[in-house]
Amino acid sequence: MFQSNKIKKLIFRSNLYDSLIFSQALIEDINNSDYYNLDITDIESALIDKIFSLVKNDLPRKYSTSKDTLFIISQGYITGGHTRLMENLSQMMPNKCPLLITRTTEDHVINRLERYFSTITKCFNNKDDLVYIQKLSNEIQAYEKVILNTHPDDIHTIIACALAKKINSSMKIYFVNHADHLASFGVTVADVWFEISLCGQQLDKDRGFSINTKKSFLGIPINKQKNQFFQPVSYNYNPQGTSFLTAAAAYKYNINENNSIEPLARRILSLNCANQISFIGSGIETNPILLPLKNTYSERLHFISSLPYDEYLLLTQNTDFYIDSYPITGGTAFVEQFINGKPCIGLRSNFYGYTPLDLIKRDTVDEVIELLTQKPPTQGFISDLQSKIFEVHGFENVKYRFLTTLYENVFFQNPMVEYIPQKPVNKSKKLHISKGTRKKGLALDKKMLIKLLTLKAFGKK
């Protein structure tokens, strides 16, 4: 792998604090660059070896008690899908499980999480990395099963898991790859790698390192009754005027590889002088991609930074069509609206395969408009699509896959492989090292960093 051995040596021979912050900054640059030719398993291994060499004489010879299952999350959020995914998984367990939170999380989020877990332990970094990792390891080592829902850069928790496995050799770690469009620390400690999309599966295949652990498809559960997945959906575009809604974090609408939602939004607004589009998302009102549209269609283009949930539901009920965010998909909001009976549209992008509803998306703006105005999907197509959606997202179906893997060691293939084509990853040829990472790297080894930055595979940023 490209220069991973040099970086591994650089990390191993530097002081602990500098090694950790450089590694976290580096994985952020890897993800921001879409660069896949650097083996992060080498970085993980170097840090694990480094910590183990420092604490091996202090490790207990065996774990004190044997408990069943622990959930771990880096940081909980009140919005977005990552914390919701963990909450849903916790409800599938035979009994309530304990939760370990490894980064500062707001009290009102913890109050919400108390509904789902038997106990919540907060173990935050006190700026002494070695003590922090040992505390985490002490919390983890007593469990037979550990379900990781960690952030991509949460190397402290991954190292703590590695130490815990050295003490408790029967422990199994299940990594929920909830941020699967990114590279994540955790590959070296996971016994099972839970996949949630085709996009993530393809990225894992195309990365510059191999995930040698067992892989099993999980999917994103939607906690609704089976009959709700089969509500009537009608694609009736009103030529007299139609209201559209799209909701996601503002960054999901940013231009990616020259792809933007602006041309689709412009065509929809130009179709009819009564058409309206509402964008909901934090920071959406200042997104520069959409400002030209706002100047042209100020009365029919609405930006809403946030809405109380009840008002959001009311707005969706009074909307005719839902548009998935683009070029980055909006997550479960897209398919949830469809399950609620709302016709959905969207453009295909490199972020794909999170839901069978991708089959309703089109490659071009013209094809989306044709779907809206001339060739709506047939009822047979919609019925078949609903069955596929239930197979992937039905709560009981995800629960079956999850628990069967957890307790019977059975692994599942992604059913979407059969009907959604996988795409090759557009790899970047250069790893753009940010100014912040360079500054952190100087603390490790100035000469080594300069050598790395002068190599052709590293770009300036």
Side-chain angles (χ1 to χ4, degrees):
M1 289 311 305
F2 174 73
Q3 298 303 327
S4 58
N5 286 333
K6 286 187 177 180
I7 293 177
K8 185 175 179 178
K9 290 176 182 176
L10 178 64
I11 288 168
F12 194 82
R13 71 188 187 197
S14 303
N15 76 65
L16 180 60
Y17 175 77
D18 290 333
S19 298
L20 289 166
I21 63 169
F22 176 73
S23 301
Q24 289 178 308
L26 188 61
I27 199 169
E28 186 174 337
D29 285 346
I30 288 169
N31 287 327
N32 287 338
S33 303
D34 292 326
Y35 183 79
Y36 301 109
N37 286 337
L38 185 65
D39 193 344
I40 64 168
T41 61
D42 269 355
I43 298 172
E44 267 186 51
S45 298
L47 288 165
I48 290 167
D49 291 344
K50 184 180 185 69
I51 299 292
F52 183 66
S53 68
L54 296 172
V55 303
K56 61 183 178 182
N57 294 330
D58 300 324
L59 292 178
R61 295 190 178 275
K62 62 179 182 178
Y63 56 101
S64 54
T65 58
S66 179
K67 302 176 185 178
D68 185 42
T69 305
L70 173 70
F71 278 76
I72 303 179
I73 192 171
S74 300
Q75 186 174 15
Y77 298 101
I78 207 69
T79 59
H82 299 304
T83 306
R84 300 295 83 73
L85 172 58
M86 185 190 68
E87 290 172 354
N88 277 318
L89 294 179
S90 74
Q91 293 180 79
M92 298 172 184
M93 299 298 293
N95 301 294
K96 279 190 173 183
C97 299
L99 171 67
L100 174 63
I101 304 177
T102 67
R103 291 181 177 176
T104 304
T105 298
E106 295 177 346
D107 288 341
H108 68 280
V109 178
I110 293 173
N111 292 339
R112 175 187 167 91
L113 290 171
E114 286 175 346
R115 305 177 201 170
Y116 303 97
F117 297 94
S118 57
T119 59
I120 295 179
T121 301
K122 297 176 285 185
C123 189
F124 305 151
N125 197 346
N126 61 356
K127 296 187 179 180
D128 185 330
D129 292 286
L130 196 59
V131 171
Y132 173 52
I133 290 169
Q134 287 177 296
K135 282 184 177 179
L136 287 173
S137 178
N138 289 338
E139 293 289 342
I140 297 166
Q141 62 177 310
Y143 292 89
E144 295 301 308
K145 297 180 179 66
V146 175
I147 300 168
L148 285 179
N149 306 265
T150 46
H151 282 12
D153 68 339
D154 192 353
I155 188 62
H156 294 83
T157 301
I158 300 307
I159 296 169
C161 285
L163 295 183
K165 287 183 82 171
K166 291 181 183 295
I167 302 162
N168 180 358
S169 60
S170 64
M171 176 187 292
K172 299 291 183 187
I173 293 179
Y174 301 81
F175 189 96
V176 180
N177 194 19
H178 63 92
D180 68 350
H181 58 291
L182 302 172
S184 293
F185 287 128
V187 174
T188 62
V189 301
D191 296 288
V192 175
W193 192 263
F194 278 124
E195 299 173 330
I196 64 168
S197 78
L198 288 175
C199 174
Q201 186 184 84
Q202 186 65 45
L203 282 168
D204 287 342
K205 288 178 184 175
D206 288 352
R207 294 201 192 285
F209 56 89
S210 58
I211 297 176
N212 295 319
T213 187
K214 297 287 186 182
K215 300 170 191 171
S216 189
F217 176 69
L218 183 65
I220 302 172
I222 295 176
N223 200 348
K224 292 181 180 291
Q225 296 296 318
K226 179 178 179 178
N227 65 313
Q228 292 178 277
F229 282 79
F230 296 91
Q231 289 192 58
V233 181
S234 176
Y235 278 73
N236 290 326
Y237 171 74
N238 183 357
Q240 302 306 312
T242 298
S243 60
F244 296 80
L245 171 68
T246 181
Y251 78 88
K252 293 190 174 183
Y253 299 99
N254 290 344
I255 292 177
N256 181 278
E257 296 176 2
N258 297 318
N259 296 319
S260 166
I261 200 169
E262 192 269 352
L264 175 59
R266 185 175 294 276
R267 280 289 297 278
I268 288 171
L269 291 168
S270 65
L271 270 178
N272 189 290
C273 61
N275 283 352
Q276 299 189 37
I277 303 178
S278 295
F279 282 83
I280 302 176
S282 175
I284 196 70
E285 67 279 359
T286 58
N287 189 309
I289 307 303
L290 302 170
L291 287 179
L293 273 179
K294 187 177 181 180
N295 294 333
T296 307
Y297 300 101
S298 58
E299 295 183 0
R300 296 190 286 125
L301 189 65
H302 312 290
F303 296 107
I304 307 165
S305 59
S306 65
L307 269 183
Y309 189 63
D310 290 344
E311 292 183 32
Y312 170 73
L313 289 179
L314 183 61
L315 182 59
T316 60
Q317 289 168 9
N318 295 325
T319 298
D320 299 305
F321 281 86
Y322 187 88
I323 311 169
D324 196 16
S325 58
Y326 179 83
I328 301 177
T329 181
T332 57
F334 184 51
V335 68
E336 282 177 340
Q337 289 301 317
F338 188 80
I339 292 169
N340 290 336
K342 192 68 60 182
C344 295
I345 59 173
L347 287 163
R348 295 189 181 109
S349 76
N350 289 331
F351 299 92
Y352 68 98
Y354 291 89
T355 174
L357 190 55
D358 278 0
L359 293 170
I360 206 70
K361 292 183 177 181
R362 298 294 185 263
D363 290 319
T364 68
V365 171
D366 286 341
E367 289 172 339
V368 174
I369 299 303
E370 184 180 55
L371 173 75
L372 272 176
T373 59
Q374 299 174 41
K375 295 181 179 179
T378 65
Q379 189 53 52
F381 176 86
I382 289 175
S383 296
D384 181 63
L385 184 56
Q386 288 172 324
S387 296
K388 289 180 168 69
I389 288 170
F390 179 69
E391 179 185 20
V392 169
H393 299 293
F395 190 84
E396 290 302 317
N397 293 333
V398 179
K399 179 179 179 179
Y400 175 76
R401 292 191 290 265
F402 182 48
L403 297 186
T404 304
T405 300
L406 211 59
Y407 292 108
E408 299 178 30
N409 212 35
V410 175
F411 307 103
F412 295 87
Q413 295 296 317
N414 189 332
M416 290 184 282
V417 170
E418 300 297 324
Y419 47 80
I420 295 179
Q422 288 185 273
K423 304 176 183 179
V425 175
N426 292 321
K427 299 180 183 180
S428 171
K429 294 181 180 180
K430 289 185 181 294
L431 170 58
H432 296 287
I433 300 293
S434 65
K435 188 180 293 185
T437 304
R438 274 180 274 175
K439 186 177 180 181
K440 294 176 176 71
L442 288 173
L444 275 73
D445 187 316
K446 186 174 181 179
K447 289 182 179 178
M448 176 69 80
L449 184 70
I450 291 171
K451 284 180 183 178
L452 291 172
L453 291 174
T454 55
L455 293 167
K456 288 184 178 179
F458 287 87
K460 295 180 180 178
K461 189 175 181 181

